[in-house]
């Protein structure tokens, strides 16, 4: 009997060996300033290498900033200059060598930029280390956060170009999947949601205007990303806000547009845009959003969020609710989760020769 979780999956010309994928998770471990700012180092290499040898079919490297001001924290990875390519190429090369498809997420933090590493403390960093965030409107993320500078149309176009430049560098660095970060209340998600976007120009107000930046970024990235390689988009399916938030209905409508603009898979998350959100967190709580997008638009989807057990993940795929599962913190707890899941489900996944002979 076949196991859906360990069947290969093909998008464009790329085949991923299984459906257990690693979600992008910031490590906040790059140099914060100087010529090595934003460069992937030994921690990043060891971190991603361990998940590749653990059997993940695809690894999406953490949110990687398209500009210095686009970093979530000063210690984020970046792809805003060519000096940042080589450290990432070392990672992508190792992943490919050991049977894992290398992917990377690029993004801009918008009004949620210039914040602390989470183990240091929540909220903005001090003025000595931080910078002034930008956003669609001068509306702070939460109490204690700075009011962002409202982006001009000229600056919006500059940022769109920075996404395209980062995509070119990601290709040079050897990545085979690119994901645009439009979720969790970062810049693109801020434009999507009327909760954070109060503009009255062509980038605010109507659904068409609020989605304009996202589609312009996708078009700019797709223009430089090879036709044979897939492009993902991560979205928060809902802000979980009763009023003036981005909704699941809008996500379905937007997913159909993304498909027309060359996006191959929607990575469906939720929340992160502030406000009095009440989120019913529980096992697989975001899966219904992914299932709805898949059913109503035909766009391939990956489900994410408290997927921790092998049978749970297998059921999501077997029921047709998603095309792949993205594991986050569970892969931090257990780098070899894919191999364990394969064993529990009676399937197989790749392992390096140095391990395979023994296990």
């Amino acid at each position: 009997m076949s196991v859906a979780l360990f069947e290969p999956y093909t998008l464009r010309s790329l085949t991923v060996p299984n459906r257990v994928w690693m979600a992008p998770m910031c490590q906040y471990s790059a140099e914060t300033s100087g010529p090595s700012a934003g460069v992937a180092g030994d921690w990043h290499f060891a971190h991603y290498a361990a998940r590749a040898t653990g059997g993940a079919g695809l690894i999406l490297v953490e949110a990687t900033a398209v500009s210095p001001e686009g970093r979530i924290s000063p210690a984020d990875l970046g792809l805003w200059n060519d000096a940042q390519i080589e450290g990432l190429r070392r990672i992508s090369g190792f992943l490919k060598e050991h049977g894992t498809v290398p992917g990377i997420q690029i993004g801009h933090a918008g009004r949620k930029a210039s914040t602390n590493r989470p183990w240091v403390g929540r909220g903005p960093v001090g003025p000595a280390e931080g910078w002034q965030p930008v956003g669609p409107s001068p509306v702070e993320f939460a109490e204690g956060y700075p009011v962002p500078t409202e982006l001009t149309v000229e600056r919006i176009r500059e940022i769109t170009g920075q996404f395209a430049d980062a995509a070119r560098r990601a290709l040079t660095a050897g990545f085979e999947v690119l994901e645009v970060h439009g979720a969790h209340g970062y810049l693109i998600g801020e434009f999507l949601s009327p909760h954070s976007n109060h503009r009255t120009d062509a980038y605010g107000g109507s659904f068409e205007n609020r989605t304009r930046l996202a589609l312009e970024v996708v078009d700019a990235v797709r223009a430089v990303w090879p036709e044979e390689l897939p492009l993902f988009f991560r979205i928060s399916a809902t802000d979980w806000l009763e009023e003036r938030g981005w909704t699941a209905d809008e996500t379905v409508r937007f997913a159909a547009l993304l498909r027309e603009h060359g996006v191959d898979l929607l990575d469906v998350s939720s929340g992160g845009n502030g406000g009095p959100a009440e989120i019913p967190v529980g096992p697989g709580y975001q899966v219904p959003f992914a299932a709805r997008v898949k059913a109503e638009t035909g766009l391939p989807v990956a489900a994410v969020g408290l997927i921790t057990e092998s049978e749970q993940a297998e059921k999501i795929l077997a029921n047709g609710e998603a095309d792949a599962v993205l594991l986050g913190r569970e892969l931090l707890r257990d780098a070899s989760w894919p191999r364990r899941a394969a064993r529990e489900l009676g399937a197989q996944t790749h392992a390096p020769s140095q391990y395979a002979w023994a296990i």
Side-chain angles (χ1 to χ4, degrees):
M1 185 180 74
S2 65
V3 177
L5 201 59
F6 291 95
E7 292 179 355
Y9 188 63
T10 299
L11 287 165
R12 298 197 183 231
S13 68
L14 183 71
T15 297
V16 185
N18 64 46
R19 316 292 182 98
V20 185
W21 301 352
M22 181 178 177
M25 292 174 284
C26 290
Q27 295 299 292
Y28 309 102
S29 297
E31 292 292 332
T32 61
S33 61
S36 295
V39 172
D42 288 346
W43 173 264
H44 302 93
F45 180 84
H47 170 65
Y48 292 111
R51 276 77 199 168
T53 58
L58 164 70
I59 287 176
L60 287 170
V61 168
E62 64 203 76
T64 302
V66 302
S67 68
E69 72 175 11
R71 290 174 291 176
I72 300 167
S73 83
D76 282 17
L77 290 182
L79 266 175
W80 65 79
N81 67 49
D82 290 349
Q84 294 159 336
I85 292 172
E86 191 54 42
L88 290 168
R89 181 156 41 204
R90 180 183 176 217
I91 292 169
S92 71
F94 185 91
L95 268 53
K96 282 186 277 192
E97 181 182 351
H98 292 283
T100 295
V101 172
I104 191 167
Q105 182 189 75
I106 56 173
H108 190 298
R111 67 178 184 165
K112 292 175 72 176
S114 190
T115 57
N116 274 310
R117 296 175 173 94
W119 58 84
V120 174
R122 297 290 179 180
V125 297
E129 193 178 8
W131 59 92
Q132 171 62 24
V134 298
S137 303
V139 180
E140 69 272 23
F141 168 65
E143 185 178 352
Y145 282 73
V147 175
T149 299
E150 182 172 314
L151 287 166
T152 64
V153 171
E154 182 181 8
R155 283 286 292 116
I156 290 171
R157 290 172 179 161
E158 181 181 342
I159 289 170
T160 301
Q162 289 169 340
F163 270 91
D165 290 341
R168 289 190 191 94
R169 294 187 181 104
L171 183 65
T172 302
F175 290 96
E176 297 176 323
V177 171
L178 188 73
E179 178 170 273
V180 173
H181 197 353
H184 302 157
Y186 298 118
L187 185 67
I188 293 176
E190 292 164 18
F191 271 85
L192 293 176
S193 175
H195 175 72
S196 44
N197 184 348
H198 299 178
R199 299 176 74 98
T200 57
D201 65 359
Y203 289 92
S206 67
F207 171 86
E208 288 78 11
N209 285 355
R210 287 183 283 112
T211 59
R212 190 180 306 278
L213 172 63
L215 294 177
E216 288 178 349
V217 167
V218 166
D219 287 346
V221 166
R222 188 75 265 185
V224 301
W225 192 246
E227 182 70 21
E228 67 271 15
L229 294 179
L231 176 64
F232 293 5
F233 190 98
R234 176 165 254 200
I235 196 165
S236 285
T238 175
D239 285 340
W240 297 106
L241 299 173
E242 293 183 4
E243 297 180 359
R244 287 190 60 78
W246 178 260
T247 68
D249 288 344
E250 288 178 308
T251 290
V252 172
R253 184 179 174 188
F254 183 48
L257 291 174
L258 288 172
R259 188 177 191 182
E260 292 174 6
H261 284 255
V263 168
D264 300 289
L265 180 140
L266 194 65
D267 171 358
V268 186
S269 189
S270 71
N273 200 28
E278 294 185 9
I279 304 177
V281 176
Y285 71 105
Q286 296 171 151
V287 174
F289 298 119
R292 183 181 170 191
V293 169
K294 181 175 170 63
E296 296 187 26
T297 71
L299 180 67
V301 296
V304 63
L306 283 179
I307 299 170
T308 60
E309 303 299 327
S310 58
E311 290 186 2
Q312 174 198 18
E314 174 66 13
K315 185 177 179 181
I316 291 167
L317 300 187
N319 288 347
E321 297 173 284
D323 300 283
V325 294
L326 281 160
L327 272 62
R329 296 184 186 188
E330 190 61 21
L331 274 175
L332 299 185
R333 290 185 281 264
D334 181 1
S336 296
W337 191 97
R339 282 214 306 273
R340 176 169 63 81
R343 187 170 61 250
E344 292 172 351
L345 296 170
Q348 289 185 332
T349 187
H350 60 276
S353 300
Q354 294 92 331
Y355 296 168
W357 71 273
I359 61 177

